[in-house]
Amino acid sequence: MDIVICSSGHIFDRDLYSICPQCGVTSKVFGSALNKPNVRQIVIHQKSDEPDLEDSKTVSYYSPVKGNDFVTGWIVTLDGTQAGRDYRLHHGFNRIGRDIDMDIVIDDDTGIANRNHCSVVYDEKSIKFYLCPGMGTLTYLNHTLLEDCTVLNEHDVIQIGSTSFEFIPFCREGRIWERNI
């Protein structure tokens, strides 16, 4: 598997496609997606009208666990084309946006900012999660506009763009990761 990024920013497997299947860029200059900093997971969905071809146009790569990359919780998509999909939350900031450099990439909702629409933060000292808005973006927590960083509670609903997520914590009182720091 040779996961690469085309000059337009699309990620695909060069072993399967000689050109980008999304934009048709034929440039020989591709950057490896596996060497991008902060890339924890890359998932590409290329839709097809033919059910048999759907899987052949989907590429997934999960990077190895490193440092503070342990799971602390999840957000689960409640609606839209990605309904049912979960995103792992990790120690510290989990930046959400459409750009491939984000920790959580939601690429099919144009109402979500490219970079840092909002962040879900896990603070291991307080054993709490926080939802923090980005700059100039609208983020809702349980149907209320988020103005400042706010504590997240189990089953809270986060809405950004036209997508809603349910928050599910793993780390909480009585269940934390013991690590050597």
Side-chain angles (χ1 to χ4, degrees):
M1 186 178 297
D2 184 17
I3 306 296
V4 295
I5 300 175
C6 78
S7 57
S8 298
H10 301 123
I11 301 170
F12 65 98
D13 186 344
R14 195 165 33 184
D15 288 344
L16 297 176
Y17 302 98
S18 60
I19 63 171
C20 176
Q22 296 180 21
C23 67
V25 170
T26 58
S27 169
K28 299 290 185 207
V29 180
F30 296 99
S32 174
L34 305 182
N35 293 329
K36 293 286 255 180
N38 299 324
V39 172
R40 291 187 178 113
Q41 173 181 312
I42 298 170
V43 179
I44 305 167
H45 297 282
Q46 181 71 20
K47 304 277 187 213
S48 173
D49 293 335
E50 300 175 48
D52 294 341
L53 295 178
E54 182 102 18
D55 286 342
S56 68
K57 293 188 178 183
T58 301
V59 175
S60 298
Y61 172 79
Y62 296 89
S63 64
V65 174
K66 302 182 246 184
N68 291 335
D69 216 16
F70 55 88
V71 66
T72 59
W74 300 267
I75 56 173
V76 179
T77 311
L78 298 176
D79 48 27
T81 60
Q82 300 294 323
R85 179 160 183 215
D86 69 308
Y87 298 90
R88 289 177 60 156
L89 300 173
H90 303 273
H91 171 270
F93 277 82
N94 295 273
R95 300 166 304 139
I96 303 172
R98 290 191 345 250
D99 191 41
I100 61 171
D101 288 343
M102 296 293 96
D103 301 301
I104 297 173
V105 179
I106 314 295
D107 61 0
D108 65 343
D109 184 342
T110 57
I112 296 174
N114 283 334
R115 302 192 51 77
N116 200 21
H117 189 104
C118 64
S119 296
V120 176
V121 181
Y122 174 68
D123 175 31
E124 70 179 312
K125 289 182 181 180
S126 66
I127 312 172
K128 291 184 181 178
F129 290 85
Y130 298 87
L131 180 62
C132 299
M135 297 297 294
T137 58
L138 295 178
T139 300
Y140 295 88
L141 178 59
N142 299 321
H143 307 289
T144 301
L145 181 64
L146 186 69
E147 296 181 46
D148 294 309
C149 289
T150 303
V151 172
L152 275 173
N153 296 302
E154 189 169 7
H155 304 298
D156 276 350
V157 175
I158 302 164
Q159 183 177 357
I160 57 176
S162 60
T163 306
S164 297
F165 305 91
E166 183 173 333
F167 168 67
I168 310 293
F170 178 78
C171 291
R172 53 189 180 267
E173 199 64 47
R175 185 188 291 163
I176 58 172
W177 294 110
E178 297 294 331
R179 302 180 300 120
N180 295 329
I181 299 178

